[in-house]
Structure formats: C-alpha cells, structure tokens
Amino acid sequence: AQTWDFDDGNIPSDLTVSNGAVQTGTGTGVSGYFTGTHLNFSGSNQRSLTLPTANASNGNGTLTFKFIYGSDTNGGEDPDSSPDEEVGLYYSTDDSTWTRSQYLTPFSDYFSWTSVTVNLTGALANSSIKYKLEQERHNGAGWDNWGIDDLVLSTTDITAPTITATTV
C-alpha cells in the first residue's frame, strides 16, 4: 500500500497537486482552514490531486482517505448545490483521457472529516491506471474549498497460492 499523510507539512513528490497546500487549522469560520494538518484546496484555478500510476488489475484494491468540504463554520465556505462544484474521482489509463467514476455527494455528508473508501473494481481496476480527485468548478479563490488527509492506495493482491502439480 502507498500512504500519504501531510502531518510533516509537505506534499510528497509522487503526488501532483494543483491549487492545494498543506495547512494546519482550527476549523473555525471561513478561511480558518479545517481542523488539523491536511492538504487544503483553494485558489482560483483547477483544484486537483493526482496519484502516481498504479497496478490495480487484481480488482481487490481500495483507495481510502479522509475528506471534507468547506462550510461557513468549519474553516471553509458552503459549496453551491451545482454538481460542478463537487469533487469527483477520475481515472485514466493513458494519462491524457480522464473519466469520472463518481462525485463525493451530497455535500452535507462531508462537512466534517469523513472516511471514504472506494473499491477499485470494474473500470477502476487496470494494470496501469492513475486516479485523480478534482473539483471542476468553484466560485473563486476563497470559495468552495475542500481538504484531504490520510490517503492510502492499496493495490496489493493477496491471493492464496495455487497448487499446479504434485510429486511424491
């Protein structure tokens, strides 16, 4: 499993981040940042986090993380109900064409730190695949922020051995 935690204040070099920064906050009011040390997304352009290429072909993998949307009381700002302000999970097998797998909705489910687990099955299971969390639209630099922490990509296949022959 690959694990990323932002407690040391740095963004690991194998992650690609757009308009995100490690922040430590108290979770109070707009722009107070969310509680604890985490990767916080704001800014005026695309906001995304791309993981390194993985082999998830076994269909037994998971992507887990803690996630939060901003609200007026938790250190962010309430996102609008438009689907375009939601954060989506995307995947790519060629590093240029990205397909949305799902949105993290509804917003109210994520106004506090929430554990998310995505099973890497079906289209999310491939021998050479990348995953990205991305917010397509927002209202500007200080609006519709979101955060992530304790990110784990587990693609290890734990398969029982197969006996193919026996000799006495």
Side-chain angles (χ1 to χ4, degrees):
Q2 294 176 282
T3 302
W4 298 275
D5 187 343
F6 307 100
D7 288 345
D8 67 357
N10 296 308
I11 297 173
S13 61
D14 57 348
L15 297 177
T16 303
V17 175
S18 295
N19 278 305
V22 176
Q23 303 287 351
T24 300
T26 60
T28 55
V30 176
S31 299
Y33 303 116
F34 308 117
T35 56
T37 301
H38 57 281
L39 186 55
N40 190 76
F41 291 86
S42 61
S44 57
N45 294 315
Q46 175 196 31
R47 302 170 182 175
S48 66
L49 165 68
T50 306
L51 282 68
T53 303
N55 179 353
S57 61
N58 59 43
N60 295 328
T62 57
L63 177 63
T64 59
F65 50 92
K66 290 189 333 187
F67 183 84
I68 191 168
Y69 276 120
S71 73
D72 291 333
T73 59
N74 72 4
E77 179 271 335
D78 287 352
D80 298 327
S81 58
S82 165
D84 290 344
E85 289 188 4
E86 297 168 319
V87 173
L89 173 64
Y90 295 77
Y91 65 93
S92 177
T93 56
D94 63 10
D95 209 20
S96 63
T97 304
W98 291 90
T99 303
R100 185 180 63 243
S101 169
Q102 66 190 63
Y103 279 126
L104 299 176
T105 57
F107 293 123
S108 60
D109 287 352
Y110 300 101
F111 281 157
S112 60
W113 284 109
T114 303
S115 295
V116 176
T117 299
V118 178
N119 293 318
L120 304 178
T121 59
L124 295 175
N126 192 286
S127 62
S128 182
I129 192 164
K130 280 190 172 184
Y131 305 101
K132 173 170 65 171
L133 291 167
E134 179 180 274
Q135 185 178 32
E136 294 177 17
R137 290 186 174 76
H138 50 78
N139 290 330
W143 307 97
D144 312 315
N145 22 348
W146 52 282
I148 192 166
D149 201 8
D150 300 334
L151 180 62
V152 179
L153 176 60
S154 178
T155 58
T156 305
D157 188 9
I158 303 172
T159 306
T162 303
I163 298 172
T164 58
T166 59
T167 305
V168 177

